[in-house]
Amino acid sequence: MEYAVITFNSISDALTFEKVAFSEASFHFNLIPIPREISSSCGVVARLAVEDLKLAESLIEAKQLTVNECHILQEQGKRKLIRKKQEQ
């Protein structure tokens, strides 16, 4: 299973993303605890389908939302392989 996550610099940034995306986005996402493969610190990420990542990036740019990084995770059994999304 493969999915995308968007990391944030703060909980406040994550909640701002959530508020804007719930009211204006045409994609489904959930805020979840940050996977430990990305960071051992506390925090949340937005989890969404890889196909919806471009829509999310467009919303982030249009609304000038603050995010940290985008990653694509692939689950293999109990392990998660991570790829940092490259800018295109």
Side-chain angles (χ1 to χ4, degrees):
M1 173 183 214
E2 190 173 69
Y3 57 93
V5 295
I6 301 170
T7 62
F8 303 94
N9 294 318
S10 68
I11 294 292
S12 177
D13 291 340
L15 294 176
T16 299
F17 173 86
E18 179 183 47
K19 180 180 177 182
V20 171
F22 268 140
S23 65
E24 300 190 27
S26 60
F27 58 88
H28 177 76
F29 70 95
N30 289 315
L31 291 184
I32 63 168
I34 192 164
R36 80 178 59 196
E37 292 85 0
I38 294 175
S39 174
S40 61
S41 67
C42 294
V44 296
V45 298
R47 177 183 171 157
L48 57 149
V50 173
E51 308 82 57
D52 293 334
L53 192 52
K54 288 214 180 284
L55 292 172
E57 289 171 333
S58 295
L59 178 70
I60 290 163
E61 186 176 327
K63 297 299 179 179
Q64 299 179 350
L65 300 172
T66 303
V67 300
N68 188 9
E69 297 176 327
C70 298
H71 298 272
I72 300 189
L73 279 71
Q74 184 176 29
E75 292 182 355
Q76 290 187 341
K78 293 186 178 187
R79 293 182 32 178
K80 294 182 180 106
L81 301 177
I82 301 167
R83 292 191 331 253
K84 183 176 174 184
K85 185 179 177 302
Q86 299 298 316
E87 295 301 319
Q88 299 177 12

